[in-house]
Amino acid sequence: MNGRRAVRIIGAGPTGALLAILLQRRGHAVEIYESRPDRGGAAAESGRSINLALADRGIHALQSAGVLPGVRDFLLPMHGRLIHALDGRTSLQPYGQRPDERIYSISRHRLNQTLLELAGRQPGVTLHFEHRFETADFDEGTAQIRDLRGGRLLRVPMQPLLATDGAGSWMRRRMSALQLIDVHETDLEHGYKELSIPADAAGRHRMASDALHIWPRGNYMLIALPNLDGSFTATLFLAKHGAQSFETLTESAAIGAFLSQNFPDARALMPDCIAEFKDHPVGFLGTVSSSPWHFKGIAALVGDSAHAIVPFHGQGMNCCFEDCVEFDACLGRHDSWDHVFEEFGALRKPNTDAIAAMALDNYLEMRERVAHPKFQLQQALSLELERRFPRRFIPRYSMVMFHHEIPYQTALLRGTLQSQLLDELTAGPVASLGDIDFARAEREICLRLPPLGLPQSDPLRSSVMKL
């Protein structure tokens, strides 16, 4: 589709900014409306998640839009999960077995600001900060936008309007209230609080900076991602209600005791954790599913506004960026917005449903399974089977994180088959890889898992290794 009509975007987060860049590249004039002020280089909001995990799907999207060089300098590579046991012992579980199989910690604020700056430099892209979406009239085909600085109520033509306003999307709520779409929101019983591990006196990281740190404790966990300034952003995931929960942990003594008993090595590195615990809000965790994602050719939901997921697979941002690339591809195949919206939703929804399910499953894995010997054996076996049969057996985690060419739905379906096979191969008195019947494994893999048809070489993968 050639860009001869203005496209309006609601929400100037990373998804909206990347989508604007892709739309402008196709010749569209783009107007972005964002309720927050232009913060420029200001710090991120206190208590809100300040770093994210960037993986292959997100990197592919950034490279496709030509903006990867703009973010390259503030990526921190993480090669695996560093598991912290209660007794202080640690063990590294590599994400993969190739040099490029790593994920990156990235500042949400710096990423968002960089993408907005790049978008704002493009001719035909206009940013409107402090402009809040209030409602939409689908009969008139207009959206009402409140200019918070000027005190004016603007009527903005839709046709099309793209809502990238996140998990709490007001556009989604409006479309649902008018019964234009069906929406299901599932609130996880757990919430989260952001804490911090400051750098040492020399500005260096006080733990390994090339890993995602996890303190798995069964029904709750603590994780920590490295930041460029030598600090770590730590996130506590805990039940919102119950005997041991954010609801009951309100007094300083109880908070200190909880952290010291369950995360003693982390507690020693967090001098301000009690104050942060009391001051920072409990973050919401949930899954949003909607259908369809659009109404005619007038408006469409893109990213979290259509399909927000829990953060435990590190795919929320990556999935949204993949949305942008797929939306751009649909634009190249159709001449009407109605057809673009229809194909985009039909192609993406099965895959976003799949990653939503895998993200929930990965929470159980991170907070509990990673500490079990059986899980560790199966993880080692998965990597060994991948070495022996690289085009038939790829661990599900690797399919999701390191292979953008494998759809999420395929990863979920093959992952289920592979999990069954791993259970069978490690059943009974199997304590190490030396006990595995690899002849049986080969027979079963060839019978159950057809070749994936992956490209022999991937130029992107070579470029990623240079990051």
Side-chain angles (χ1 to χ4, degrees):
M1 179 186 296
N2 294 322
R4 296 188 178 90
R5 182 186 298 173
V7 180
R8 278 86 184 184
I9 295 177
I10 300 297
T15 304
L18 182 62
L19 189 57
I21 292 169
L22 291 168
L23 287 164
Q24 187 278 336
R25 190 175 64 175
R26 286 196 177 272
H28 292 281
V30 183
E31 299 205 21
I32 308 177
Y33 297 91
E34 169 59 49
S35 61
R36 293 171 298 172
D38 181 4
R39 297 182 62 84
E45 298 173 43
S46 177
R48 191 166 184 260
S49 178
I50 63 171
N51 54 4
L52 301 165
L54 180 67
D56 179 62
R57 293 173 197 270
I59 290 170
H60 173 69
L62 293 174
Q63 181 154 319
S64 297
V67 298
L68 182 59
V71 304
R72 193 189 303 268
D73 290 342
F74 48 94
L75 299 178
L76 278 173
M78 299 183 292
H79 300 277
R81 299 164 169 167
L82 192 66
I83 308 302
H84 294 251
L86 188 57
D87 62 6
R89 290 182 295 175
T90 61
S91 59
L92 180 67
Q93 296 180 0
Y95 286 132
Q97 52 192 323
R98 298 183 178 89
D100 58 298
E101 292 184 335
R102 56 197 178 196
I103 62 178
Y104 298 85
S105 177
I106 185 170
S107 161
R108 174 198 291 270
H109 178 70
R110 291 192 66 176
L111 173 64
N112 198 176
Q113 283 305 123
T114 298
L115 291 177
L116 283 175
E117 289 169 7
L118 291 171
R121 293 176 196 161
Q122 308 307 312
V125 175
T126 306
L127 299 169
H128 302 279
F129 291 98
E130 296 185 69
H131 279 66
R132 183 181 66 212
F133 170 81
E134 297 203 341
T135 190
D137 187 322
F138 288 89
D139 292 327
E140 290 186 357
T142 60
Q144 293 185 19
I145 308 289
R146 176 74 63 181
D147 176 355
L148 300 177
R149 282 178 293 185
R152 300 176 300 156
L153 186 63
L154 309 177
R155 289 188 178 274
V156 175
M158 296 194 285
Q159 296 179 312
L161 183 144
L162 307 177
T164 61
D165 51 342
S169 171
W170 284 102
M171 175 58 85
R172 185 185 69 244
R173 295 177 186 180
R174 177 61 175 162
M175 295 171 77
S176 176
L178 294 173
Q179 298 184 332
L180 304 178
I181 62 174
D182 292 323
V183 177
H184 299 279
E185 300 183 15
T186 305
D187 187 3
L188 196 66
E189 63 181 10
H190 288 62
Y192 70 91
K193 277 183 182 280
E194 297 284 0
L195 306 173
S196 61
I197 297 174
D200 67 14
R204 297 171 300 198
H205 292 97
R206 301 169 74 186
M207 303 185 297
S209 63
D210 61 348
L212 168 65
H213 295 257
I214 305 179
W215 290 259
R217 298 296 183 262
N219 195 43
Y220 47 89
M221 69 174 179
L222 182 73
I223 69 170
L225 278 75
N227 297 312
L228 285 172
D229 64 0
S231 68
F232 286 83
T233 298
T235 308
L236 174 65
F237 297 94
L238 180 69
K240 290 182 289 187
H241 309 288
Q244 198 165 53
S245 66
F246 286 124
E247 179 183 52
T248 58
L249 290 173
T250 58
E251 300 300 323
S252 297
I255 295 168
F258 172 79
L259 296 174
S260 296
Q261 291 167 10
N262 293 285
F263 316 106
D265 54 339
R267 171 68 180 87
L269 302 176
M270 298 190 293
D272 301 320
C273 61
I274 295 178
E276 290 175 336
F277 193 104
K278 297 177 75 171
D279 292 343
H280 290 173
V282 176
F284 168 83
L285 296 169
T287 301
V288 173
S289 176
S290 58
S291 179
W293 293 352
H294 73 284
F295 179 71
K296 298 181 179 178
I298 298 175
L301 307 174
V302 181
D304 283 344
S305 60
H307 54 71
I309 63 176
V310 294
F312 304 113
H313 215 307
Q315 280 294 294
M317 174 183 64
N318 295 281
C319 180
C320 292
F321 282 178
E322 193 170 68
D323 272 4
C324 295
V325 172
E326 291 295 331
F327 189 91
D328 181 61
C330 291
L331 281 173
R333 292 191 289 266
H334 298 285
D335 291 324
S336 78
W337 289 106
D338 200 3
H339 291 155
V340 169
F341 293 168
E342 285 183 1
E343 185 185 45
F344 172 66
L347 291 175
R348 287 300 288 164
K349 184 165 172 55
N351 289 301
T352 57
D353 286 348
I355 189 56
M358 289 188 285
L360 286 168
D361 181 69
N362 217 47
Y363 186 30
L364 297 177
E365 179 174 304
M366 291 176 70
R367 78 186 197 205
E368 185 173 352
R369 295 179 198 148
V370 292
H372 291 179
K374 177 69 79 173
F375 173 86
Q376 295 166 7
L377 173 61
Q378 290 189 350
Q379 185 185 52
L381 177 57
S382 292
L383 295 176
E384 179 60 30
L385 293 176
E386 183 184 24
R387 279 190 286 269
R388 295 181 182 223
F389 315 104
R391 306 195 72 77
R392 288 182 182 266
F393 193 106
I394 299 175
R396 191 184 81 176
Y397 186 87
S398 295
M399 284 191 281
V400 170
M401 303 300 283
F402 308 129
H403 291 276
H404 67 269
E405 65 276 12
I406 299 177
Y408 287 127
Q409 187 179 36
T410 300
L412 176 61
L413 295 174
R414 288 183 75 99
T416 300
L417 295 174
Q418 292 177 176
S419 180
Q420 294 169 354
L421 178 59
L422 291 172
D423 286 340
E424 294 169 12
L425 294 174
T426 57
V430 178
S432 69
L433 292 181
D435 300 322
I436 300 297
D437 183 347
F438 283 102
R440 176 192 176 194
E442 182 175 10
R443 291 194 302 271
E444 294 297 328
I445 287 173
C446 291
L447 178 66
R448 302 188 200 182
L449 300 173
L452 276 162
L454 298 176
Q456 292 293 335
S457 62
D458 186 345
L460 170 66
R461 207 165 298 283
S462 299
S463 69
V464 171
M465 289 182 66
K466 299 175 184 178
L467 289 175

